[in-house]
Amino acid sequence: MKRIESLKNERVKKWKKLHTKRGREQQGLFLVEGEHLVEEALKSNWLVSTIITNTTISIPFSGEVIQVNDSVLKELSRTETPQGMIAVCQRKELCQPADLTGVYVILDRIQDPGNLGTIIRTALAAGATAVVVGTGSVDVFNDKVIRSTQGAFFHIPVYEGGLEDWFNAFEQAKIPVFGTSLLEAIPYSEVEKTSQFALLLGNEGDGVGEEWLKRTNKNLYIPQNPKAESLNVAVASGILLYSLKSDLATKD
Amino acid sequence: MKRIESLKNERVKKWKKLHTKRGREQQGLFLVEGEHLVEEALKSNWLVSTIITNTTISIPFSGEVIQVNDSVLKELSRTETPQGMIAVCQRKELCQPADLTGVYVILDRIQDPGNLGTIIRTALAAGATAVVVGTGSVDVFNDKVIRSTQGAFFHIPVYEGGLEDWFNAFEQAKIPVFGTSLLEAIPYSEVEKTSQFALLLGNEGDGVGEEWLKRTNKNLYIPQNPKAESLNVAVASGILLYSLKSDLATKD
């Protein structure tokens, strides 16, 4: 087993660059921290190339394991209390599939990594087919996004890119798109449960952009106590997915 | 208008102690940061004693305003980019009211301040009467809790304390308590909508404690894709409140 103890080590410097979006794109890699998340990555179809740890690992893993000291681990960690294990995973860019089926969550300019991660986690739990993260959103390979998914990231496809192609594809597949808006919208409870739809949620401050709201089949709102200003977007995703989706997956 | 420019100023030192639970309890005060939250506090029945700012304030406020420089503001701020305005507010401890009515959210050992804040925000939006934060949960006056409520904190009563008295009170008021559990529970959708109930949610890792699950009227679960491990507790609060509550408040 290799051992690295210096912060000046070239590989440590390279891994550290994975803390930025640019570094992740250039190297085609991203970091996953903590035993639980690393296990979820290993159980999935994502490729883990290296595990970096300051202890012994009990997870079966045939790839490269690198032992480091506490200071190297701390340097690579993005949590306040480093969790003893970081995996270097290979990115993959998913292409829009030819056939669309089921339930999709589409996101327009989501900024908060915790919100994005929690929406991905909620989409998996609710049995959605995939999450589409529109241009202008936080990077899906951001460490806090992945951490907030609690592992769901590895078990549901997450697409990135422009929403235009997706709107065209949903139209062609006759999958209705439900936007979310406080204006010119109907209460979500007026929509009958259905097994195929795309739910469009928007930016934490601005909501969904006008250009997309015009292209939806219906726009929905969640009735609220007038003393309240708004709901958190991840909470809204849960309320809407569970209310609109007809057949909650109960088996794999 | 007073001006304070030194980090060694006695008042600055005292305010800084409000970053800890102990300091808040000893002084009977707490801090609220950012113009939006300060405005929400001023609009509410909470008492703002002092506003600390490094700019001029445009909010009508008849109390004490203290001008500070950037370094003092930074010292008192708990956000990465200080927002120019911090209010010192007076704590109040609420006592359990004699008559219970409507919908309550009861929390058993919630640890994450973002989750607690988001649950309070969701409870207000869904028209709940109050939130009860059980012993062993994160301090409700924690800055991140208040920030995550997005101002909802000032518009819905949040009680702290042991859950025992609340269970007794719900029993006496004949308000059913719905626990959340993955074991010996029914799908939430089997419960008819109702206007009076208490929803019990638990710790992020452990869920609701056994001792409380035994005392509920029914325990509910949210069906999930088996690939998913769990839902975020704030998301779960939204799904359950919106599904169980019969009359969503649409007026004040």
Side-chain angles (χ1 to χ4, degrees), chain B residues 77-147:
Chain B
S77 168
R78 299 287 275 176
T79 59
E80 279 173 38
T81 44
Q83 299 185 55
M85 189 182 291
I86 295 173
V88 183
C89 301
Q90 291 192 20
R91 278 175 79 112
K92 43 183 180 180
E93 313 299 334
L94 304 175
C95 299
Q96 194 185 87
D99 289 311
L100 300 184
T101 178
V103 170
Y104 293 80
V105 179
I106 326 171
L107 303 173
D108 177 29
R109 293 167 299 124
I110 293 292
Q111 294 307 299
D112 183 87
N115 284 343
L116 177 54
T118 307
I119 292 170
I120 293 170
R121 181 180 175 190
T122 307
L124 175 69
T129 306
V131 177
V132 178
V133 181
T135 313
S137 300
V138 59
D139 182 25
V140 304
F141 294 100
N142 173 303
D143 62 289
K144 206 179 161 196
V145 171
I146 295 176
R147 209 154 57 239

Side-chain angles (χ1 to χ4, degrees), chain A residues 32-38 51-57 59 68 70 73-87 143 146-148 150:
Chain A
V32 170
E33 184 171 351
E35 187 166 347
H36 173 240
L37 283 181
V38 175
I51 291 180
I52 301 157
T53 180
N54 65 348
T55 56
T56 50
I57 63 162
I59 308 174
V68 297
D70 291 358
L73 197 85
K74 202 173 164 216
E75 185 81 356
L76 298 175
S77 168
R78 298 287 273 175
T79 58
E80 275 172 43
T81 45
Q83 298 185 54
M85 188 181 292
I86 295 173
D143 61 289
I146 296 177
R147 209 156 54 239
S148 303
Q150 296 270 330

